[in-house]
Amino acid sequence: MSKRVAWLVVGAALIAVFPWGVGSYVDYVACLALTYSLITVSLNWVMGYAGQITLGQGGFFAVGAYVATCAVAHYGWALPAAIVLSAVATGVLGLLLGVPALRLQGHYLALTTLFFSLAVPEVIMALPSLTGGSNGINMPGTATLFGLHLSNLRAAFYVLVVLLVAIILVDRTMLKSKLGRAFMAIRDSETAAASVGIPIAVYKIMAFTASGVVAGLAGGLYAPIAGYLNPATFDLWLSIYFFAALIVGGLGNVYGAVIGGIIVIALPQLFSQVQNVSNILFGGILVVVLLALPGGIADWPRLGTGVRWLRRPR
Amino acid sequence: MQYRNRSFRTGLAVLAAAVGLAWAFPAWSFAATTQGVAGKNVSLGAWAPESGPTTVLFATSEGAAAYFKWVNAHGGIHGYHFNFTMVNDQYNPALTPAAARRLVTVDKVFAIVAGTGTPSSVAVLSYITGVGIPSIAPASGDPSLTQPVRKNIYTVVPSYVNESAFQAQYAVTHLHSKSVAIIYQNDDIGKTGLAGVTKMLALHGMKPATAVPFEPGTLAFIPYVARLKASGAQTVIIWGSIPPFVPILKAAESIGYRPTWITYAFDADPSVVSQVPPAQLANTYFDSWMPLPDDQGMADYRQAIKQYYPQAKIGLLSVQGWCLASVFGSAFADMVARRATPSWSGLEHALNGMKHFSNAYVHDLTFSPTNHQGLPAEFVMKYEHGAIKKVTPYLPLPVVH
Amino acid sequence: MLATLVVAGLVAGAIYALVGLGLVIIYRTSQVVNFAQGDVSTLLTFVGFTLMTQWGIPYLAAFALTLVIAFLFGILVERTVIRPVAARSPIVAVGVTLGVALVLNGTSTWRWGTQVQSFPAPTSAAGITVGGMTVSGGSLVILGALALSVVALVTLFGYTRIGLAMRATSEDGNAAELMGINVSAISGLSWGLAAVLGATAGMLVSPAITLTPNQLDLVVIRSFAAVVVGGFTSTLGAVVGGLFIGVVESIVAGYAPADLTNVAMFVIVLVVLVFRPQGLLAAEETRKGLV
């Protein structure tokens, strides 16, 4: 057996038995972590590969969760169809959000996407008859995904793992493809990319759309797992956390994105009984990582050096 | 191939480590007869907003914790001692399910006492009900906690919709107000208040003179009080968390608007009212179900806070926690006084048997299998000559669901 | 009522402008959007609060002392965490400021978060009455502080050598460096100035409200909106943008049936971003958006 296969088997076995050996507390935290990892991976497509700064994943997550819940709760949709609807809705939103990306760069784009993430909970609260407004809304317990109740955390865990693996495979394929190379060309130098005929606008919008779809999928799955949604969850800080998760885990690295998502969730849980330390700690880690390990945790062999491709010509 | 790539192996190693770490978490359960009771030691817990946007409410959790520490220091309840664990959910309803599961499956508590936070408590409602663990006196008045009645959930804090109806009723029947307005925070708590006020006014054939919502976090209130002034309202009911109260009254003073204000007890805390213009305070009424921190019967509370949780400060927030915890204590005492070993059904039986129960902490508390909203009455208070005074006896809380 | 609303809006807008000025100054000299501006201001406000209430230092002295601390703190932040990364991509710079924001927010909450505090007012004077409408003393101080800051900044940028150096740095950092300007010192200076402006705004807005660690969250968002409207590179733009948003918000809050203040702000920002992304008062910039 080659080393590679051995690793895969060990990994798969560990993951398979994971939810059975730990209690529902760790199961729930793990599901939350996987959801966050999914979203961070989608963020990586836009920020890590295409180089477009965005603070909008929180908004996509919220839309995905709410669209799925409202479809099931108010219109009686089956859960799988509702989740597909979520993905479509957030994909469209991603497309729309990509449009400003064509005209704005760097900090301006960051601010625009930030305002998007701020606007989403406002819209949610402005439609109380549909979304429950600030009272929140429950995902009906009858919703099943192909016969699986996602409120059963073990089932949810497996579904999320499968989805995450699938998205990682998509990521790997995309990276090697023309699409991936185009993204990175755009990230490294837009002018150069344009000069060799890459249609910048198309690819930028594709990056945003794809990231929107995945974040929306994650939201659609999160809703039945958590069972209850409240706009307070989807606040300004959420998008900041996704951003930070990617940076800490490793910008431009899909496994870094996964690690980052896990850390964002796991860290506060480890410290949940110590006052406020988790925020300070997390912020501190973010800063330290950016200063010392610009490639994030996944890039640890390069500790101490600046990552060359992050430098842009001034 | 890319699988030999370092980052892939790193990722896998980290994943394996994480899985191994999680495995090490002491989470498997060996069946105990009743969870949370080991001999004469009882584990209790609650989710608490130790960090996050509303850490002022943490004083309530500390008040509850102080109660149990004090009980332990005074021989326990019939020899039973209590270990009260607070788990931080950051007032974030996405994290409360984790906190709740931690309490139930890892800390294996016997009961949840004084879980703090409305979105938090609502987020775990179905989980807690599904597990069946008693949740006693959550620090929230959200109507959904007792509508419908759940076997294991008992509330002491009056339902917000009834409380706001009480305020409106007081305005109409006692203050003889012809026009009542409401200014409310644009979130679940504020909107519940709006519902209660509107319903009660409708029963008197009235409508709110105006209903002014404001975003949580608003700092500039002049436009909002200008609207209240323009509506000509004689009485204004304020529904929000603690921070907006002072700026609302200050803004009103700056535009020369002095209606009668009605708001909830926590705004009566001395640290809050010391910031309020005296002319406005003179017209402000506070509704409450709690004893005042300086009451004679609260001597134990004062001492316990000073001794165990000085940072919580003597004040109505920690008083709330203390009183809520005491309800559990009274029910528990009742249960074990009959020589029953602690059990969920025993606790529920004791709670449902509480009729017109009054002590220094709660008044006329009544539960039954069909009513788990314990307090039937509140009173109104006001500041006079620099000291807070009750201006009514206990008046019945309307039920306006 | 309209006059009351307009004046109230100008006062609120003055706070947004003060914070926004800090954002603009930093952006012009280090090309970094400081997402930590609000949390820096809040932390310094708490410091001022501690000086005034726990150490018993009289108001004016404590206010001045806090500003000095603010200045030094701004320089400290710039020197330790910003300077090493400023030359790198915007992603890194944004990340660092967000990290700083998290750390400072956590610190404020940890140290002061669980209590209900009140911040002393600059004056208990009743204020002036114009045409039947009273403008409180506190409001006048805020407006005065803004005016003073604008005058000070205009003088600084227009008539002092340091100011000239700052303008040179913001126009072209490389060229300025080549000419012997100590760009990193200028950078530190601007972060210090921004912290001073933020601390001023924080301390002046606090008396009207109850001190909480997240109090400036809404203000900072408005300040960002103000700077987007006015233009990231225009100090005058920050002032005009801030006042404009404050007044619009006030009028909307006073007349709209639901609380549409946030919606109004989003609409304004959206319109500006679509039609004139560099801001109303900034000079026309290259398609790349930022220098």
Side-chain angles (χ1 to χ4, degrees):
Chain A
M1 222 189 241
S2 80
K3 228 180 176 191
R4 176 180 105 211
V5 176
W7 270 111
L8 284 173
V9 167
V10 168
L14 282 170
I15 290 175
V17 300
F18 178 86
W20 293 92
V22 301
S24 73
Y25 165 63
V26 176
D27 275 338
Y28 182 81
V29 174
C31 287
L32 211 54
L34 286 171
T35 310
Y36 272 51
S37 292
L38 268 170
I39 298 174
T40 314
V41 168
S42 75
L43 177 64
N44 187 41
W45 288 350
V46 176
M47 248 179 30
Y49 295 159
Q52 302 302 302
I53 193 169
T54 168
L55 289 169
Q57 299 311 95
F60 294 132
F61 182 39
V63 170
Y66 268 93
V67 164
T69 308
C70 293
V72 173
H74 291 301
Y75 298 104
W77 281 45
L79 187 60
I83 293 180
V84 169
L85 182 67
S86 287
V88 168
T90 47
V92 168
L93 268 178
L95 204 129
L96 293 174
L97 199 61
V99 169
L102 302 177
R103 301 185 59 182
L104 302 165
Q105 297 278 317
H107 297 109
Y108 286 92
L109 187 57
L111 271 179
T112 310
T113 52
L114 185 70
F115 276 112
F116 163 70
S117 281
L118 286 172
V120 170
E122 292 290 320
V123 171
I124 289 172
M125 290 204 281
L127 302 169
S129 48
L130 182 65
T131 64
S134 39
N135 283 336
I137 185 171
N138 282 304
M139 169 66 88
T142 49
T144 60
L145 191 71
F146 309 120
L148 286 170
H149 277 278
L150 288 179
S151 50
N152 175 346
L153 294 173
R154 289 189 187 129
F157 178 82
Y158 290 131
V159 168
L160 285 169
V161 167
V162 166
L163 184 63
L164 186 61
V165 169
I167 297 294
I168 291 178
L169 287 174
V170 167
D171 177 285
R172 298 280 85 191
T173 317
M174 182 184 71
L175 204 59
K176 285 185 295 180
S177 74
K178 192 172 90 163
L179 186 64
R181 289 198 297 272
F183 279 169
M184 290 194 279
I186 294 173
R187 175 192 68 198
D188 291 336
S189 168
E190 265 189 53
T191 336
S195 72
V196 296
I198 294 180
I200 312 255
V202 170
Y203 282 114
K204 273 189 183 177
I205 292 192
M206 280 179 72
F208 272 93
T209 310
S211 83
V213 166
V214 173
L217 270 176
L221 282 173
Y222 167 79
I225 293 173
Y228 168 79
L229 299 177
N230 189 299
T233 309
F234 304 104
D235 65 354
L236 166 65
W237 292 101
L238 183 65
S239 290
I240 293 178
Y241 276 118
F242 287 130
F243 178 97
L246 180 60
I247 301 283
V248 168
L251 184 68
N253 184 317
V254 66
Y255 304 110
V258 172
I259 292 172
I262 294 175
I263 290 180
V264 168
I265 292 296
L267 202 65
Q269 292 303 316
L270 288 174
F271 288 98
S272 68
Q273 283 170 316
V274 183
Q275 267 185 313
N276 284 302
V277 170
S278 65
N279 243 10
I280 298 177
L281 204 61
F282 194 66
I285 289 178
L286 174 61
V287 172
V288 165
V289 162
L290 285 166
L291 292 180
L293 249 185
I297 288 179
D299 212 34
W300 57 267
R302 276 195 273 209
L303 172 63
T305 70
V307 178
R308 207 158 300 168
W309 53 257
L310 269 181
R311 292 219 176 106
R312 283 163 158 260
R314 261 187 121 201
Chain B
M1 283 222 57
Q2 67 268 29
Y3 298 111
R4 291 228 181 86
N5 158 315
R6 243 194 315 227
S7 4
F8 178 76
R9 297 208 303 242
T10 313
L12 203 52
V14 171
L15 196 62
V19 168
L21 201 69
W23 259 90
F25 230 87
W28 43 85
S29 63
F30 299 113
T33 31
T34 304
Q35 146 164 325
V37 180
K40 289 282 202 163
N41 286 314
V42 180
S43 292
L44 302 169
W47 44 86
E50 201 169 353
S51 65
T54 33
T55 48
V56 274
L57 296 180
F58 189 58
T60 295
S61 314
E62 288 175 311
Y67 173 82
F68 289 112
K69 282 214 156 90
W70 176 83
V71 158
N72 289 343
H74 287 78
I77 294 181
H78 291 287
Y80 283 91
H81 284 69
F82 302 93
N83 182 16
F84 184 70
T85 308
M86 296 183 276
V87 177
N88 184 15
D89 74 333
Q90 304 183 35
Y91 204 74
N92 182 349
L95 295 178
T96 319
R101 284 178 169 79
R102 188 181 180 132
L103 288 167
V104 172
T105 63
V106 177
D107 299 313
K108 293 203 202 305
V109 297
F110 172 68
I112 312 261
V113 179
T116 300
T118 292
S120 306
S121 302
V122 174
V124 292
L125 202 49
S126 44
Y127 170 72
I128 296 288
T129 310
V131 170
I133 186 170
S135 175
I136 312 300
S140 162
D142 195 282
S144 62
L145 293 173
T146 44
Q147 292 278 334
V149 168
R150 289 157 217 264
K151 187 166 168 294
N152 57 322
I153 299 185
Y154 298 78
T155 64
V156 173
V157 173
S159 167
Y160 292 142
V161 72
N162 294 338
E163 184 186 352
S164 55
F166 175 88
Q167 292 169 329
Q169 185 173 66
Y170 182 77
V172 172
T173 58
H174 282 71
L175 298 175
H176 307 293
S177 192
K178 295 288 183 281
S179 61
V180 179
I182 175 170
I183 178 169
Y184 65 100
Q185 202 160 293
N186 203 16
D187 63 7
D188 45 2
I189 297 174
K191 290 197 190 151
T192 311
L194 173 68
V197 168
T198 313
K199 284 196 180 144
M200 175 51 70
L201 289 178
L203 289 176
H204 290 270
M206 293 166 68
K207 285 213 297 226
T210 180
V212 179
F214 62 89
E215 290 302 310
T218 301
L219 302 182
F221 279 95
I222 290 187
Y224 303 103
V225 300
R227 276 175 66 183
L228 289 171
K229 186 178 183 185
S231 76
Q234 292 175 296
T235 304
V236 179
I237 296 177
I238 302 179
W239 261 88
S241 46
I242 300 173
F245 174 66
V246 168
I248 289 176
L249 265 59
K250 281 189 175 170
E253 183 68 7
S254 75
I255 64 167
Y257 176 53
R258 292 192 186 152
T260 304
W261 303 97
I262 304 182
T263 183
Y264 71 163
F266 300 115
D267 289 335
D269 197 280
S271 65
V272 177
V273 298
S274 58
Q275 309 170 46
V276 171
Q280 296 286 345
L281 187 60
N283 299 334
T284 309
Y285 294 85
F286 306 87
D287 72 284
S288 175
W289 58 269
M290 294 176 280
L292 292 166
D294 290 330
D295 280 0
Q296 268 190 315
M298 298 302 284
D300 292 329
Y301 152 81
R302 290 193 294 271
Q303 198 204 337
I305 291 286
K306 260 207 289 258
Q307 191 175 349
Y308 301 117
Y309 289 97
Q311 69 274 22
K313 298 242 167 92
I314 308 269
L316 285 166
L317 281 168
S318 51
V319 166
Q320 178 181 233
W322 179 277
C323 296
L324 294 176
S326 77
V327 170
F328 172 84
S330 304
F332 189 89
D334 194 56
M335 172 174 64
V336 296
R338 291 180 269 114
R339 309 278 184 95
T341 45
S343 68
W344 287 354
S345 52
L347 187 65
E348 287 162 14
H349 185 76
L351 283 162
N352 284 328
M354 291 174 98
K355 310 284 179 208
H356 305 293
F357 174 84
S358 296
N359 61 8
Y361 311 129
V362 291
H363 177 86
D364 207 18
L365 183 76
T366 303
F367 289 119
S368 77
T370 50
N371 172 38
H372 284 186
Q373 233 273 273
L375 289 179
E378 279 199 334
F379 58 89
V380 179
M381 352 183 253
K382 194 170 187 288
Y383 269 87
E384 272 160 20
H385 312 297
I388 188 100
K389 289 203 165 50
K390 280 188 187 175
V391 295
T392 66
Y394 278 94
L395 299 169
L397 271 167
V399 179
V400 293
H401 288 302
Chain C
M1 177 156 117
L2 186 63
T4 315
L5 292 177
V6 168
V7 170
L10 287 173
V11 173
I15 298 289
Y16 307 148
L18 278 170
V19 176
L21 277 172
L23 290 172
V24 167
I25 291 174
I26 287 181
Y27 185 77
R28 286 183 72 169
T29 49
S30 6
Q31 265 72 58
V32 170
V33 169
N34 182 15
F35 285 98
Q37 182 75 351
D39 292 295
V40 167
S41 310
T42 305
L43 183 72
L44 291 164
T45 306
F46 277 113
V47 166
F49 169 76
T50 309
L51 289 177
M52 288 179 202
T53 55
Q54 286 187 350
W55 292 25
I57 303 178
Y59 185 86
L60 273 179
F63 196 97
L65 184 58
T66 308
L67 292 186
V68 169
I69 295 175
F71 187 71
L72 295 172
F73 186 72
I75 296 181
L76 177 73
V77 169
E78 192 274 340
R79 199 150 287 208
T80 51
V81 298
I82 302 297
R83 190 174 303 181
V85 299
R88 302 220 193 105
S89 77
I91 290 179
V92 176
V94 168
V96 170
T97 58
L98 287 175
V100 170
L102 280 170
V103 171
L104 294 181
N105 184 282
T107 309
S108 298
T109 318
W110 190 16
R111 172 72 178 79
W112 292 282
T114 49
Q115 300 138 24
V116 174
Q117 322 274 25
S118 90
F119 196 92
T123 165
S124 42
I128 59 172
T129 310
V130 176
M133 185 183 66
T134 315
V135 183
S136 71
S139 300
L140 288 172
V141 169
I142 291 176
L143 291 171
L146 178 65
L148 196 65
S149 303
V150 170
V151 165
L153 286 174
V154 164
T155 317
L156 177 71
F157 286 139
Y159 298 99
T160 66
R161 278 185 53 183
I162 287 188
L164 200 56
M166 287 175 89
R167 275 167 53 202
T169 312
S170 59
E171 271 188 32
D172 190 338
N174 285 330
E177 197 150 18
L178 287 172
M179 306 241 208
I181 291 179
N182 188 346
V183 167
S184 50
I186 297 291
S187 209
L189 193 66
S190 42
W191 279 74
L193 262 181
V196 167
L197 288 164
T200 307
M203 287 194 284
L204 289 179
V205 83
S206 295
I209 60 179
T210 314
L211 269 183
T212 54
N214 289 342
Q215 68 192 25
L216 286 184
D217 276 4
L218 242 63
V219 168
V220 167
I221 294 176
R222 304 278 192 273
S223 304
F224 276 121
V227 176
V228 165
V229 166
F232 258 101
T233 52
S234 167
T235 40
L236 188 62
V239 175
V240 168
L243 294 174
F244 175 68
I245 287 188
V247 171
V248 167
E249 191 185 50
S250 192
I251 294 180
V252 166
Y255 290 114
D259 192 0
L260 295 173
T261 51
N262 281 342
V263 172
M265 182 192 66
F266 288 136
V267 166
I268 293 175
V269 166
L270 196 65
V271 165
V272 171
L273 281 173
V274 166
F275 292 108
R276 204 178 153 92
Q278 68 271 29
L280 296 175
L281 286 163
E284 186 74 42
E285 290 182 349
T286 66
R287 197 201 152 271
K288 281 292 175 187
L290 47 90
V291 175

